[in-house]
Amino acid sequence: MNTFARSATALLTCVGLVLSGSAATAWAAPATEDRTTEDHAMGSQIRKHEGGSARVVIPTDPGTEAVVYGIDVSGHQGNVDWNHWWGLGKRFAYVKATESTGYRNPYFAQQYNGSYNVGMIRGAYHFALPDRSTGAAQADYFVNNGGGWSRDGRTLPGALDMEYNPYGATCYGLSRASMTAWIKSFSDRYHARTGRWPVIYTSTSWWDQCVSGDFSSTNPLWVARYSSAVGTLPFAWPVHTIWQYSSTPIDQNQFNGAYDRLQALATG
């Protein structure tokens, strides 16, 4: 075999190795990611599944004599200009602290302390992934990473964010009874750790599909509906405490009561 032929053979062999080895590896499906480290904002899955108005509205409810306006934020907002939102009349804020048992909001300190320092009444929330670990375990993770409560008159009880599964089955593969037990586990553990019952954030549609239990006697309701009216509430709750009514240009909320009632919720 002459020099040219040997070179050509060697080249073809190398090409074959690349196509059968390195290239195959390069194009292979990526390894399963650790999805517990992802950041899902409050209501992100409700908007995805239920839609709703993206208009900036200040809704009115004929049955409400007075309301207080606020916002909620997560890592997606980064460092928040709290003076700006205070100037727009926002007087309370909820800040995402944790998700499952593998994610902590890297901007939590700036958001949680910043809202407080500007004068807002603030609280923390936890995005639940009920198929990953027990309710008690996620409550502990939440409390240990910013979700606690103190009787300072400016700290709201922690909120449990219950909404559509970002990764698959709407109800996380749990029966309605099992989901009820999971929420009770979280709620009971949070109460044991802090002395307060967590606020439960959800949508009527998700709750009625996935949960069978009645939490109306213990847990304040934070309902999401992006419209000009609150609409039908989830099973058994006679009244809502907070209404998330818009996600533009940031998640916007309305406390169902005057400012002194918001203070009462914070004080416990």
Side-chain angles (χ1 to χ4, degrees):
M1 183 180 296
N2 60 34
T3 301
F4 176 81
R6 284 195 298 269
S7 298
T9 300
L11 176 61
L12 289 172
T13 300
C14 289
V15 170
L17 288 172
V18 169
L19 292 175
S20 63
S22 300
T25 301
W27 288 101
T32 302
E33 59 190 347
D34 179 12
R35 295 182 297 191
T36 61
T37 63
E38 291 190 4
D39 179 13
H40 296 95
M42 176 175 277
S44 58
Q45 305 310 302
I46 293 173
R47 290 188 290 275
K48 178 180 176 180
H49 289 270
E50 299 181 18
S53 172
R55 294 177 296 118
V56 180
V57 294
I58 299 179
T60 57
D61 185 338
T64 302
E65 295 181 359
V67 298
V68 183
Y69 291 99
I71 61 175
D72 62 84
V73 298
S74 69
H76 292 283
Q77 278 72 47
N79 291 322
V80 175
D81 183 350
W82 291 107
N83 286 304
H84 169 77
W85 294 108
W86 179 267
L88 292 181
K90 309 304 181 182
R91 292 298 179 262
F92 73 94
Y94 264 97
V95 176
K96 179 174 182 179
T98 52
E99 180 170 331
S100 186
T101 56
Y103 174 85
R104 294 180 296 173
N105 176 7
Y107 295 94
F108 180 77
Q110 192 277 342
Q111 295 173 351
Y112 193 70
N113 296 330
S115 55
Y116 184 93
N117 291 338
V118 82
M120 292 185 186
I121 296 176
R122 49 81 157 113
Y125 79 85
H126 173 79
F127 191 103
L129 295 180
D131 58 344
R132 301 297 175 86
S133 54
T134 67
Q138 293 196 29
D140 280 333
Y141 187 74
F142 179 44
V143 173
N144 293 342
N145 291 283
W149 175 77
S150 60
R151 197 184 298 274
D152 61 3
R154 297 272 304 281
T155 302
L156 294 164
L160 172 61
D161 182 352
M162 299 298 305
E163 56 183 281
Y164 297 84
N165 183 0
Y167 304 113
T170 293
C171 302
Y172 297 84
L174 300 181
S175 68
R176 295 176 74 213
S178 294
M179 185 67 78
T180 298
W182 193 96
I183 295 170
K184 188 175 187 305
S185 173
F186 184 102
S187 182
D188 287 351
R189 184 64 170 170
Y190 188 83
H191 184 264
R193 293 283 306 272
T194 67
R196 298 298 306 274
W197 298 105
V199 175
I200 293 179
Y201 168 94
T202 194
S203 75
T204 299
S205 179
W206 183 87
W207 188 270
D208 289 350
Q209 288 181 71
C210 300
V211 188
S212 59
D214 179 2
F215 293 85
S216 62
S217 64
T218 51
N219 302 77
L221 171 65
W222 182 355
V223 65
R225 187 166 187 262
Y226 312 115
S227 185
S228 58
V230 177
T232 304
L233 299 180
F235 171 75
W237 269 291
V239 66
H240 70 282
T241 298
I242 304 173
W243 169 22
Q244 187 187 72
Y245 63 85
S246 179
S247 60
T248 304
I250 200 168
D251 286 352
Q252 302 194 57
N253 302 283
Q254 186 185 79
F255 175 79
N256 186 14
Y259 189 76
D260 64 339
R261 301 317 303 157
L262 178 65
Q263 291 176 308
L265 178 62
T267 302

